[in-house]
Amino acid sequence: LSAKLLGEAREEYESIRAAESSNPALLIDYSDLLSEMGDHDLAEKALLRAVAFDRENASAWLKLGQAEAALGTKSETRAIRSLRRAAAIEPKNEATVQANASLGALYQQSGLYDFAREAYGKAIDQDPAHVGSKLAIASLDAREGQMVKAKDAYDSIDSASTDYAPFITRTLGVALDDFAQSRRWLPDTAENHLAYAELLVRAGRLADSFWPLSRAVKLDNQNFVAWNLMGSVLRAMDQLKGSREAFAKSLALNADQPRTRDAIAELDKTLAVPGDSMAPEIPVA
């Protein structure tokens, strides 16, 4: 909604003294508006009043925890308490599932990774189709260097994760940064290096993916999928000759690849025009 419409709606709520209401539903609606406007402190007050009148309202406790989390580290303890309260309410419903997922995100943001994994696991136990929690656990696996496990998890929910692209880029990017800074060792196998490269590509870090990908094809130069990825990465880096070479190696290993043939034909057209690729070429493994 526009700022004008939000302002008008707020005036209406305030004209009926919504903040002093004893109606939990009205207080929750009012808090939604306040949160939309970024007034999380006032939203917290409205929601505290709502849960005082309805102690078993999981949705209200969830919204309270989320409003408190939005206030930053100063209210982190309150947010955790509220989200735990929401998650504990029976019977389990969409709000309790989301409470566990929000708890996981809060723990992960605070560096409490074991608690985060546990909370995400509870969300999945209640809702096996909860994509956000599955993606978050996959990012935790990547952070710990379990690249194959993480990659398989992303692959398994790929068709359901289209709407989560920004979330994947953000959480996976942070996880891969943490892995790099931790200086953990990655098992020196083609499978691990290829999985690492694929995760870097998912996180939008194509240039960074080149080196683990190079190691992958060096350890196993018969993997046409790895050569295809190498071709795509080099093409994105404007390394057109190297890209063509990688695609050609893939095609030599598996001739039944129409899209790879098309990529090579397209590269041939581009390379036939002098000066189209000005970037210094990186040697292909």
Side-chain angles (χ1 to χ4, degrees):
L1 294 176
S2 69
K4 181 181 178 182
L5 289 175
L6 288 172
E8 290 173 353
R10 183 168 182 168
E11 286 178 5
E12 289 186 20
Y13 276 113
E14 291 176 350
S15 70
I16 61 171
R17 303 172 72 91
E20 300 169 23
S21 173
S22 58
N23 183 336
L26 176 60
L27 287 162
I28 291 170
D29 288 344
Y30 181 45
S31 75
D32 286 342
L33 175 68
L34 292 169
S35 293
E36 180 72 18
M37 298 182 76
D39 288 332
H40 302 294
D41 53 343
L42 294 179
E44 180 189 25
K45 290 179 181 179
L47 288 163
L48 282 169
R49 190 171 175 83
V51 296
F53 288 107
D54 187 357
R55 304 294 294 177
E56 298 304 307
N57 189 325
S59 179
W61 282 106
L62 167 63
K63 290 175 184 288
L64 175 58
Q66 291 173 331
E68 290 166 337
L71 288 171
T73 55
K74 64 180 181 180
S75 62
E76 191 173 278
T77 301
R78 301 201 304 275
I80 290 172
R81 183 174 61 240
S82 298
L83 291 171
R84 281 179 171 171
R85 183 70 183 86
I89 290 174
E90 297 287 352
K92 301 304 180 188
N93 56 36
E94 184 177 346
T96 61
V97 173
Q98 191 54 45
N100 276 312
S102 295
L103 259 178
L106 189 56
Y107 285 139
Q108 188 171 2
Q109 180 182 310
S110 303
L112 301 171
Y113 302 110
D114 290 340
F115 286 120
R117 188 182 289 275
E118 181 182 358
Y120 290 134
K122 287 179 180 178
I124 293 171
D125 286 343
Q126 293 174 27
D127 178 9
H130 198 269
V131 175
S133 290
K134 290 182 178 181
L135 291 171
I137 288 177
S139 74
L140 292 174
D141 289 336
R143 180 184 176 276
E144 295 173 1
Q146 301 182 58
M147 302 304 177
V148 175
K149 183 179 178 182
K151 181 259 181 187
D152 288 345
Y154 282 110
D155 286 350
S156 70
I157 53 181
D158 203 42
S159 60
S161 64
T162 306
D163 295 334
Y164 289 82
F167 177 77
I168 292 173
T169 302
R170 183 176 68 256
T171 57
L172 181 55
V174 171
L176 293 172
D177 282 342
D178 286 350
F179 169 73
Q181 292 170 13
S182 72
R183 300 186 180 277
R184 290 188 178 95
W185 287 98
L186 193 67
D188 192 28
T189 67
E191 183 183 29
N192 275 289
H193 290 295
L194 178 57
Y196 185 22
E198 289 181 323
L199 290 174
L200 286 164
V201 170
R202 278 187 183 275
R205 309 243 303 262
L206 271 69
D208 291 339
S209 73
F210 175 78
W211 301 110
L213 193 51
S214 295
R215 184 63 180 163
V217 296
K218 185 173 183 179
L219 292 170
D220 178 12
N221 63 7
Q222 299 300 300
N223 189 329
F224 72 91
V225 173
W227 282 116
N228 268 334
L229 184 58
M230 175 71 85
S232 296
V233 167
L234 287 171
R235 180 169 55 184
M237 294 169 63
D238 203 27
Q239 304 288 304
L240 303 190
K241 292 179 181 178
S243 174
R244 191 200 186 287
E245 182 182 343
F247 281 131
K249 288 183 178 181
S250 176
L251 200 60
L253 293 167
N254 180 2
D256 187 20
Q257 297 188 81
R259 292 177 65 181
T260 302
R261 288 186 183 280
D262 290 344
I264 290 174
E266 203 173 307
L267 284 166
D268 284 342
K269 289 180 182 178
T270 304
L271 288 167
V273 180
D276 265 27
S277 179
M278 303 301 294
E281 289 289 334
I282 300 173
V284 177

